[in-house]
């Protein structure tokens, strides 16, 4: 919901003529879809827009559903409302877990796109469809990635069909061959989702936005706002509190960090572009940092250490520091010294005092 919060807030604040914003939300952990939206709207991120435009949140219509369900799980009543009202669709729902089982990743990132397209074809007022992919959808290619859709060795529909009838053992067995040079199921299924979108959109004006590593906001709705520990935030939390001291990776790897508000700005701009320019082809837009603005992991950790020296975290347990190494053996040694050994000593100390062992 983190990404959607910024998008919804921006639409409410900068597009006051919008009549309704339908938000597809799946029930989760005993909470109904409406309860999840009500909680979302209480976040500090909406304080400014509610002050500037009192009552604006009444434009938000909660739609209970799920992209893995047939017809997105929509009722006939809701479907009729969408047919009458919707002219622009922003699709960002996906699983972003790198280790997601392939079958579930296919259901969400490929079949989910198909279900959204099926809905779009039923909307007579639709003038724009914006799909959020990832800058790493084609990271398996040993060449400069251009703003175009690349072919794959298998068709999206074939993957959807295979996920329906293949057994788990068979699916798991062929996964390495299917992924090829793709590092995980996320990038693989996102690339197939782009192909499905291109081939199934018919004449719907469509754009694909490929953000890189989306992180905390730059300016809007609040500077530095974020509500999760994904991507770079997890590194800051782990190294910054002193819990994390070592990890596997190339310290010279460039991180293309993209503030969430800049990504949202591009998505909204693409929605406008589709509606006004009515492009014949699917346009792809990269939302990334160039070489000048990107930063290596090594430099990122160095700057983080300098910043935390002046602004330490409240939950800090050790001095912020850390190493990123490509050596599996050296990483194991560092893990033993900095992670396992201190944890063992703390457990022994707690056990001697009759306290709970972690």
């Amino acid at each position: 919901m983190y990404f959607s919060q910024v998008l919804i807030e921006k639409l409410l604040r900068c597009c006051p003529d919008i009549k309704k914003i339908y938000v597809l939300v799946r029930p989760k952990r005993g909470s109904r879809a409406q309860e999840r939206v009500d909680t979302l709207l209480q976040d500090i991120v909406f304080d400014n827009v509610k002050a500037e435009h009192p009552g604006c949140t009444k434009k938000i219509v909660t739609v209970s559903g799920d992209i893995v369900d047939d017809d997105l799980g929509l009722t006939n009543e809701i479907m009729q409302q969408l047919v009458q009202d919707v002219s622009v669709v922003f699709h960002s729902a996906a699983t972003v877990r790198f280790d997601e089982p392939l079958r579930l990743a296919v259901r969400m990132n490929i079949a989910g796109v198909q279900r959204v397209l099926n809905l779009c074809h039923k909307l007579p007022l639709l003038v724009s469809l914006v799909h959020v992919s990832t800058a790493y959808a084609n990271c398996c290619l040993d060449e400069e990635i251009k703003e175009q859709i690349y072919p794959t060795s298998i068709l999206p529909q074939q993957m959807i069909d295979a996920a329906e009838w293949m057994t788990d053992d068979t699916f798991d067995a062929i996964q390495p061959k299917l992924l090829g040079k793709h590092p995980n199921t996320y990038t693989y299924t996102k690339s197939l989702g782009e192909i499905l979108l291109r081939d199934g959109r018919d004449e719907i004006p469509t754009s694909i936005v490929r953000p890189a590593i989306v992180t905390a906001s730059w300016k809007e709705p609040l500077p530095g706002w974020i509500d999760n520990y994904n991507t770079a935030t997890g590194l800051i939390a782990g190294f910054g509190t002193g819990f994390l001291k070592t990890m596997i990776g190339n310290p010279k790897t460039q991180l293309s960090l993209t503030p969430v508000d800049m990504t949202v700005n591009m998505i909204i701009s693409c929605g406008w572009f589709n509606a006004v320019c009515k492009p014949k082809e699917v346009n792809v837009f990269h939302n990334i940092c160039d070489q000048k603005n990107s930063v290596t992991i090594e430099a990122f950790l160095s700057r983080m250490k300098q910043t935390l020296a002046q602004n330490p975290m409240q939950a800090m347990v050790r001095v912020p520091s850390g190493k990123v190494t490509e050596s599996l053996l050296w990483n194991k040694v560092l893990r033993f010294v900095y992670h396992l050994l201190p944890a063992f000593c703390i457990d022994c100390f707690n056990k001697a005092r009759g306290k709970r062992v972690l």
Side-chain angles (χ1 to χ4, degrees):
M1 297 295 285
Y2 149 73
F3 186 88
S4 300
Q5 282 178 269
V6 181
L7 175 59
I8 293 171
E9 191 276 341
K10 180 79 173 188
L11 291 173
L12 289 174
R13 179 164 46 86
C14 298
C15 307
D17 292 334
I18 288 179
K19 295 180 179 179
K20 292 181 181 179
I21 300 176
Y22 290 91
V23 183
L24 181 68
V25 181
R26 64 184 177 90
K28 186 178 181 181
R29 297 172 187 169
S31 298
R32 295 184 297 110
Q34 186 60 57
E35 292 173 344
R36 294 188 65 194
V37 172
D38 290 342
T39 300
L40 175 150
L41 294 177
Q42 297 306 312
D43 195 285
I44 189 175
V45 72
F46 289 98
D47 286 354
N48 288 338
V49 70
K50 287 191 288 189
E52 294 176 13
H53 305 283
C56 65
T57 56
K58 294 180 180 179
K59 297 179 180 181
I60 299 174
V61 180
T62 302
V63 176
S64 181
D66 198 325
I67 58 171
V68 300
D69 294 338
D70 292 338
D71 296 325
L72 303 177
L74 304 180
T75 64
N76 291 333
E77 180 182 358
I78 287 294
M79 185 66 75
Q80 287 301 316
Q81 292 182 35
L82 299 179
V83 168
Q84 295 173 10
D85 296 336
V86 173
S87 58
V88 178
V89 171
F90 297 107
H91 173 49
S92 63
T95 175
V96 297
R97 287 182 54 187
F98 293 161
D99 60 346
E100 193 77 80
L102 181 57
R103 188 187 303 277
L104 181 56
V106 169
R107 291 181 63 197
M108 298 186 71
N109 295 348
I110 306 177
V113 174
Q114 181 64 71
R115 295 185 181 96
V116 171
L117 279 174
N118 292 341
L119 169 64
C120 289
H121 289 308
K122 299 176 183 178
L123 306 177
L125 303 180
L126 187 65
V127 295
S128 180
L129 168 61
V130 181
H131 172 72
V132 181
S133 184
T134 172
Y136 304 101
N138 302 285
C139 62
C140 58
L141 301 178
D142 298 323
E143 59 185 79
E144 178 183 353
I145 306 301
K146 299 181 179 180
E147 292 179 321
Q148 64 186 52
I149 298 174
Y150 289 85
T152 58
S153 59
I154 189 172
L155 295 176
Q157 190 58 51
Q158 292 175 317
M159 278 301 303
I160 295 174
D161 294 340
E164 291 295 327
W165 66 266
M166 277 191 182
T167 63
D168 290 338
D169 291 342
T170 303
F171 215 50
D172 292 340
I174 66 173
Q175 178 172 320
K177 186 173 181 60
L178 289 173
L179 296 189
K181 292 185 178 181
H182 276 278
N184 50 59
T185 58
Y186 171 66
T187 63
Y188 178 66
T189 52
K190 292 298 279 186
S191 66
L192 286 169
E194 291 185 359
I195 295 174
L196 181 62
L197 188 76
R198 178 199 63 193
D199 296 342
R201 72 179 184 101
D202 291 337
E203 297 182 358
I204 299 174
T206 303
S207 291
I208 295 175
V209 177
R210 289 178 180 162
I213 304 172
V214 181
T215 185
S217 59
W218 175 36
K219 293 182 178 180
E220 301 174 323
L222 298 169
W225 180 85
I226 195 168
D227 74 343
N228 61 66
Y229 291 102
N230 296 334
T231 64
T233 311
L235 287 179
I236 295 173
F239 283 113
T241 55
F243 280 104
L244 183 63
K245 289 291 184 178
T246 179
M247 63 178 288
I248 286 289
N250 182 352
K252 302 299 182 182
T253 296
Q254 294 281 339
L255 296 177
S256 182
L257 303 176
T258 307
V260 63
D261 46 335
M262 297 190 71
T263 300
V264 165
N265 288 344
M266 174 170 278
I267 290 171
I268 295 175
S269 298
C270 287
W272 172 88
F273 173 79
N274 292 338
V276 174
C277 299
K278 298 179 175 56
K280 299 295 183 182
E281 304 294 332
V282 175
N283 286 277
V284 179
F285 298 95
H286 286 166
N287 180 231
I288 62 176
C289 288
D290 57 18
Q291 290 294 323
K292 180 180 179 181
N293 291 318
S294 60
V295 62
T296 65
I297 296 178
E298 188 176 52
F300 177 81
L301 293 179
S302 176
R303 295 180 189 179
M304 178 195 71
K305 186 176 179 179
Q306 295 173 12
T307 301
L308 290 173
Q310 300 175 359
N311 304 280
M313 291 186 172
Q314 293 180 344
M316 186 183 299
V317 295
R318 289 186 287 184
V319 176
S321 64
K323 294 184 179 296
V324 179
T325 175
E326 296 182 83
S327 171
L328 291 173
L329 178 60
W330 184 234
N331 183 62
K332 288 182 179 180
V333 172
L334 293 175
R335 284 182 60 195
F336 177 78
V337 173
Y338 290 116
H339 294 172
L340 299 180
L341 189 58
F344 177 75
C345 293
I346 292 173
D347 278 350
C348 290
F349 180 70
N350 286 337
K351 189 174 183 179
R353 298 174 62 194
K355 294 191 174 183
R356 184 170 64 91
V357 175
L358 299 177

